[in-house]
């Protein structure tokens, strides 16, 4: 979507101001550069699957990337020829996106109140971000803004815990966050400490955390019929990047520096024997969910 295709909404306009989002969602602002450099991207196969399930090419499609963060998915969509507008509520994340993608239109906002005209988008995407919305608000908004025949695509990178070292790391993460939760707020806080998304509704209790969780915990809108696709992929990164990726998740960002430093230092020692050359092979499965309006 070209800049002229979107509303030119000044920041002082009430409709341009993001609606209230969980404070934890804004924890990423303090680590925006770390997030942008350490978080995994997405494979070409994911974009191929989005095109297939949406029933149209990305090239030329009027696309809104909601919760765009530092622009990891925005860049992939833009590179595939989508006329993409990034939508991001966090000032720190938005600033990092603007720094790295200066030519992509950026709107401050969130999925609970989209500052776009009805039936104005061919595709709305949520990469790692649907769980930060209130589905009772974000689903009607997506339906309002999508044109007939447009598609809503939601996806998450989930670490593949069938890989032994990832399963072992996941167990350590669960023990760590369980202990931190009991220290701070008693055993009942375990789920909140493990989840990447502060609950938007009372029913949202499944823990997700730094390794992600399966799609069935994602509160997909019942108004739409989704097709699910799992896209496996891997990336090889320095051990320091892997640890920075872990540390960029909200579950870590809301803790004090010392427990995070301690956990990541211990994690380096756990992983060194698995990756003696200092390069970590991260294995993911992207949970992709696409519905056509």
């Amino acid at each position: 979507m070209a800049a002229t295709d979107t509303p030119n909404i000044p920041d002082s306009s009430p409709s341009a101001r993001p609606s209230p989002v969980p404070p934890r969602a804004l924890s990423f602002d303090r680590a925006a550069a770390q997030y942008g450099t350490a978080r995994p991207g997405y494979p070409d196969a994911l974009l191929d699957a989005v095109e297939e399930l949406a029933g149209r090419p990305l090239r030329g499609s009027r696309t809104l990337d909601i919760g765009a963060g530092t622009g990891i998915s925005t860049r992939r969509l833009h590179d595939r020829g989508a006329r993409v507008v990034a939508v991001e509520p966090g000032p720190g994340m938005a600033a990092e996106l603007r720094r790295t993608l200066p030519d992509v239109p950026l709107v401050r906002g969130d999925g609970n109140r989209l500052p776009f005209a009805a039936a104005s988008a061919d595709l709305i995407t949520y990469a790692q971000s649907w769980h930060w919305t209130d589905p009772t608000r974000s689903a009607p908004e997506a339906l309002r803004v999508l044109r007939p025949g447009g598609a809503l695509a939601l996806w998450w990178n989930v670490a593949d815990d069938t890989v032994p070292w990832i399963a072992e790391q996941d167990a350590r993460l669960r023990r760590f966050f369980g202990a931190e939760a009991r220290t701070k707020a008693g055993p009942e806080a375990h789920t909140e400490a493990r989840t990447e998304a502060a609950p938007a509704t009372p029913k949202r209790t499944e823990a997700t955390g730094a390794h992600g969780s399966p799609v069935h915990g994602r509160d997909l809108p019942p108004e739409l019929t989704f097709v699910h696709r799992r896209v496996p992929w891997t990336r090889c990164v320095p051990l320091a990047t892997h640890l920075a990726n872990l540390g960029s998740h909200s579950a870590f960002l809301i803790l004090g520096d010392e427990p995070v430093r301690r956990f990541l230092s211990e994690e380096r020692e756990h992983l060194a024997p698995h990756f003696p050359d200092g390069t970590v092979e991260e294995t993911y499965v992207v949970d992709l969910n696409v519905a056509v309006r």
Side-chain angles (χ1 to χ4, degrees):
M1 189 182 297
T4 55
D5 294 326
T6 56
N8 182 15
I9 307 175
D11 286 344
S12 59
S13 151
S15 61
R17 289 195 294 268
S19 59
V21 295
R24 184 165 170 171
L26 299 179
S27 66
F28 299 111
D29 281 326
R30 62 179 291 221
Q34 176 183 342
Y35 188 109
T37 57
R39 284 291 185 104
Y42 304 102
D44 288 338
L46 172 66
L47 283 301
D48 294 340
V50 170
E51 290 184 321
E52 176 191 343
L53 298 179
R56 64 168 296 134
L58 286 169
R59 182 166 298 280
S61 67
R62 298 184 175 192
T63 301
L64 307 178
D65 189 27
I66 314 300
T70 61
I72 295 172
S73 58
T74 309
R75 181 184 298 277
R76 298 291 281 120
L77 293 162
H78 180 263
D79 288 348
R80 289 288 284 253
R83 299 160 66 190
V84 62
V85 175
V87 181
E88 169 56 36
M93 298 287 267
E96 184 68 13
L97 188 152
R98 171 58 63 227
R99 184 184 71 80
T100 59
L101 294 172
D103 297 328
V104 172
L106 170 63
V107 173
R108 292 289 305 284
D110 65 84
N112 294 332
R113 187 173 61 187
L114 296 175
F116 300 98
S120 61
D122 298 315
L123 177 67
I124 296 177
T125 61
Y126 282 83
Q128 313 286 131
S129 59
W130 178 259
H131 56 275
W132 291 114
T133 73
D134 175 354
T136 64
R137 301 173 64 193
S138 55
E141 277 291 88
L143 288 170
R144 179 184 66 81
V145 173
L146 280 174
R147 66 165 182 80
L152 175 64
L154 320 174
W155 67 78
W156 291 265
N157 263 324
V158 180
D160 184 357
D161 63 7
T162 66
V163 177
W165 77 263
I166 293 177
E168 293 166 5
Q169 183 178 77
D170 189 64
R172 291 191 294 271
L173 286 163
R174 290 181 181 277
R175 286 195 297 271
F176 172 74
F177 287 117
E180 286 296 316
R182 287 189 293 273
T183 297
K184 293 178 179 296
E188 69 278 3
H190 181 199
T191 295
E192 176 60 17
R194 271 289 296 165
T195 185
E196 173 86 322
T201 60
K203 69 178 179 178
R204 186 171 302 190
T205 57
E206 180 173 343
T208 57
H211 275 178
S213 70
V215 68
H216 56 71
R218 301 299 190 181
D219 289 338
L220 301 183
E223 304 94 322
L224 293 167
T225 300
F226 283 87
V227 178
H228 308 294
R229 183 73 57 86
R230 289 167 58 81
V231 182
W233 73 290
T234 62
R235 70 166 187 167
C236 293
V237 295
L239 177 55
T241 300
H242 172 75
L243 296 174
N245 173 25
L246 285 180
S248 74
H249 285 76
S250 66
F252 283 108
L253 294 174
I254 63 173
L255 297 178
D257 291 340
E258 178 54 29
V260 174
R261 185 204 63 76
R262 186 175 66 251
F263 177 86
L264 295 179
S265 177
E266 293 172 356
E267 196 60 21
R268 180 183 294 275
E269 297 301 315
H270 284 299
L271 294 177
H274 291 281
F275 306 103
D277 67 349
T279 299
V280 177
E281 184 179 55
E282 297 177 342
T283 304
Y284 295 96
V285 177
V286 184
D287 269 329
L288 170 64
N289 318 272
V290 178
V292 176
R293 185 181 187 282

